[in-house]
């Protein structure tokens, strides 16, 4: 059981939650920092990378040193590391995730890809922290999309991406004529 928090006693149940006992980004044990707007707990190494993203992406606070606002406790309590990672690591190959002993540079590059570029997140989906800010259930996506294997989810993402290609042809701009292949030129009826 983690030690009691004298500064933010209301945070104790959030910290004690098994999903929050390791860093959201590198799986280091007993994270003592948090991105209060993303709703995750991180280790001290990863907290530095989050600070470097800027407060428009990640607002970092200490679990033990900073006095937390009630809304920050609620955000981390409702989202947590598991739900956030289900979203931000949806298309991540597990071999790409840094480990506790990896360099700060590797962790920082991963965190930038994960949260700023959203390289591993599902396309055209709203992150849990934004759903919560809109007054919606941050877990709603998981209830709808999370069934099946990661391969099924990736297949579903690709299917969603292809839907963008179903727009009317005039919405895509002018259509280019396809250059006939040598096989097309040899077929009878092609004027060749």
């Amino acid at each position: 059981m983690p030690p009691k928090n004298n500064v933010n006693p209301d945070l104790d149940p959030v910290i004690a939650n098994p999903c929050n006992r390791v860093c959201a980004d590198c799986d280091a044990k007993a994270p003592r920092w948090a991105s209060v707007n993303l709703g995750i707990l991180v280790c001290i190494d990863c907290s530095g990378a989050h600070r470097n993203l800027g407060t428009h992406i990640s607002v970092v606070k200490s679990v033990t040193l900073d006095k937390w606002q009630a809304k920050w406790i609620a955000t981390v309590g409702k989202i947590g590391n598991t739900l956030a990672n289900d979203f931000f690591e949806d298309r991540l190959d597990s071999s790409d995730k840094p480990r506790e002993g990896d360099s700060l540079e590797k962790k920082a590059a991963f965190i930038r890809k994960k949260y700023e570029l959203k390289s591993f997140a599902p396309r055209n989906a709203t992150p849990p922290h934004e759903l919560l800010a809109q007054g919606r259930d941050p877990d709603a996506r998981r209830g709808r999309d999370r069934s099946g294997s990661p391969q099924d989810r990736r297949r579903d993402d690709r299917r969603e991406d292809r839907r963008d290609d179903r727009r009317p042809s005039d919405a895509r701009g002018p259509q280019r004529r396809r250059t006939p292949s040598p096989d097309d030129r040899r077929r009878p009826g092609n004027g060749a």
Side-chain angles (χ1 to χ4, degrees):
M1 183 86 184
K4 295 290 179 197
N5 187 336
N6 295 329
V7 179
N8 301 299
D10 294 340
L11 198 52
D12 284 339
V14 175
I15 297 168
N17 185 332
C19 78
N20 294 331
R21 289 188 184 164
V22 296
C23 174
D25 297 321
C26 75
D27 294 334
K29 292 181 178 143
R32 290 292 169 248
W33 292 83
S35 173
V36 295
N37 63 316
L38 295 174
I40 58 171
L41 291 166
V42 295
C43 69
I44 192 163
D45 289 346
C46 293
S47 73
H50 276 267
R51 282 190 192 279
N52 289 336
L53 293 176
T55 56
H56 63 290
I57 297 173
S58 185
V59 178
V60 178
K61 298 292 177 188
S62 168
V63 168
T64 55
L65 302 174
D66 295 319
K67 182 69 178 154
W68 281 36
Q69 297 175 12
K71 71 177 184 177
W72 298 342
I73 295 171
T75 298
V76 177
K78 289 177 183 172
I79 297 175
N81 292 355
T82 301
L83 180 57
N85 283 346
D86 282 350
F87 180 84
F88 286 105
E89 296 179 358
D90 184 71
R91 298 180 301 124
L92 174 70
D93 181 351
S94 62
S95 65
D96 293 336
K97 187 169 183 170
R99 294 281 157 219
E100 182 177 5
D102 288 340
S103 70
L104 295 176
E105 292 79 16
K106 181 175 182 177
K107 291 178 185 180
F110 171 76
I111 289 168
R112 183 172 182 268
K113 284 181 188 175
K114 182 176 175 180
Y115 300 105
E116 184 177 350
L117 304 175
K118 297 180 183 165
S119 297
F120 314 117
R123 293 179 181 92
N124 305 320
T126 306
H129 67 283
E130 290 180 19
L131 290 172
L132 186 62
Q134 295 167 1
R136 296 163 54 194
D137 180 9
D139 202 11
R141 181 184 174 277
R142 189 170 11 173
R144 188 182 67 233
D145 296 328
R146 286 273 140 210
S147 59
S149 68
Q151 291 82 10
D152 292 339
R153 290 191 300 273
R154 280 198 262 332
R155 201 174 307 118
D156 290 342
D157 285 343
R158 285 192 299 271
R159 203 173 293 130
E160 286 177 20
D161 292 341
R162 277 190 233 116
R163 287 186 199 133
D164 295 337
D165 296 336
R166 294 185 197 158
R167 296 175 298 188
S169 61
D170 59 333
R172 279 188 244 147
Q175 294 292 310
R176 292 186 177 158
R177 287 187 55 194
R178 186 176 70 86
T179 304
S181 70
D183 291 336
D184 290 341
R185 291 185 194 130
R186 283 187 231 127
R187 286 192 192 129
N190 285 339

